[in-house]
Amino acid sequence: MTISDEQVAHDKAIAFAQATLLKDIEESEIQQSHGARKHHASILEQLDAFNYTYVEALKFFTEQKNRY
């Protein structure tokens, strides 16, 4: 049984999105607060951050195939 290139790209994209999610949320909270009271990201903002990162990572890993 072989794993398709698409499945490998998907698995890498999920791992990357999970690994970078907290950093992305923290950066978003800092940018939105502008030194004022800290903005806490809603669940929808967190999902948007994860989805965006996943989609971009999936495109990247699909194009790169075996490089990473």
Side-chain angles (χ1 to χ4, degrees):
M1 182 167 129
T2 61
I3 300 173
S4 68
D5 289 341
E6 292 82 15
Q7 183 63 46
V8 171
H10 164 76
D11 292 347
K12 288 178 179 181
I14 288 289
F16 183 81
Q18 288 174 334
T20 60
L21 181 61
L22 289 178
K23 176 187 68 71
D24 292 344
I25 290 170
E26 288 173 359
E27 287 177 358
S28 173
E29 289 175 345
I30 290 168
Q31 287 175 355
Q32 292 182 18
S33 67
H34 298 289
R37 189 170 160 231
K38 189 171 184 176
H39 168 79
H40 293 286
S42 71
I43 189 70
L44 291 176
E45 290 170 321
Q46 294 174 34
L47 288 170
D48 286 343
F50 181 86
N51 286 336
Y52 176 80
T53 302
Y54 167 77
V55 169
E56 293 301 311
L58 182 61
K59 289 178 195 174
F60 175 80
F61 289 120
T62 298
E63 291 170 0
Q64 298 300 314
K65 296 205 181 196
N66 297 323
R67 289 186 65 190
Y68 295 94

